[in-house]
Amino acid sequence: MKNLKKILAVLLAVAIIGAVVAGCAKKAADNNETTDINTAQASDLEYIKNKGELVIGITYFEPMDYLDDKGELTGFEVEFGKAVCEKLGVTPKFQEISWDAKETELSAKNIDCIWNGLTITPERQEAMSISNPYMNNKQVIICKKENAEAFAKAGGLDGKTVVAEKESAGEEAIQSEDYKDFFGKANYTPVEAMKNALMEVKAGTADAAVIDYVTGIGSLGEGSDYADLAIVEKSFADEQYGIAFRKDSDTTAEVNKIIDELKADGTLQKIADKYNLGEQLVK
């Protein structure tokens, strides 16, 4: 009888421990389920606001995002980004990326947007959520001044070395069937960034570069490092810039509203005029 009581006591203790363990496991599962639900329900805009910063993917090129003489980041899109983030209630964090990895960086949440002279294309609109266009642009040829007239004609670049940023609209123009009379017999070499393309032409290691027009007007001219270069009087691929967010992100609509506000109060025009881009803004 005494042994039976001991056995019953042990069985009761085991049952109690099992109930406690099961209860704890259920509570943990419930907590995890709640966390998963909350995470799933958090929108992209909430995600950005909760962490208190907008990580902006950029590459360095004038006049959009570049380092000034003091080594401080400046440019049209830097000031534009700061103005939007102030209204959004978050801190801008500018992060340099490799342009050909931009979509991977965005989807992996290493950055929250691509804000760097991004040309709006149907393919990009399928892959990402892109803001309303804010700036007009086109692709142009940059070369030494003495070659500008020759390179403005079809066939002028035959046998010449032409560079452009990898995965850029400039590269697309060079490889397009629409412009094969200009680039079809040229020797094309991709480079890492538009600034590298300009440096190649400056150094004479390339005969011409195909870059964004806004970069050309922001980088060339008297007193610049590229005073001996010129924009050829022939343009390609009229386009517009937009800001890319993750696919279906609700941040896009919020940023569109803020951009409209910055247009209405004259802030965006003032920033653009500062960098000689006032005439390029989408009105």
Side-chain angles (χ1 to χ4, degrees), residues 42-80:
S43 71
D44 196 48
L45 181 59
E46 289 172 339
Y47 162 75
I48 290 166
K49 287 194 170 185
N50 286 340
K51 65 191 179 82
E53 67 179 13
L54 180 73
V55 183
I56 301 172
I58 65 168
T59 61
Y60 294 146
F61 71 102
E62 295 186 48
M64 311 307 263
D65 306 278
Y66 64 98
L67 300 176
D68 64 16
D69 294 337
K70 297 179 181 178
E72 296 179 357
L73 187 63
T74 188
F76 168 76
E77 289 188 331
V78 173
E79 294 197 33
F80 185 15

Side-chain angles (χ1 to χ4, degrees), residues 127-146:
M128 300 175 285
S129 177
I130 302 181
S131 72
N132 295 333
Y134 60 86
M135 183 164 286
N136 296 308
N137 186 47
K138 56 189 175 182
Q139 296 302 305
V140 292
I141 299 170
I142 304 294
C143 65
K144 293 287 180 66
K145 286 181 177 179
E146 59 266 27

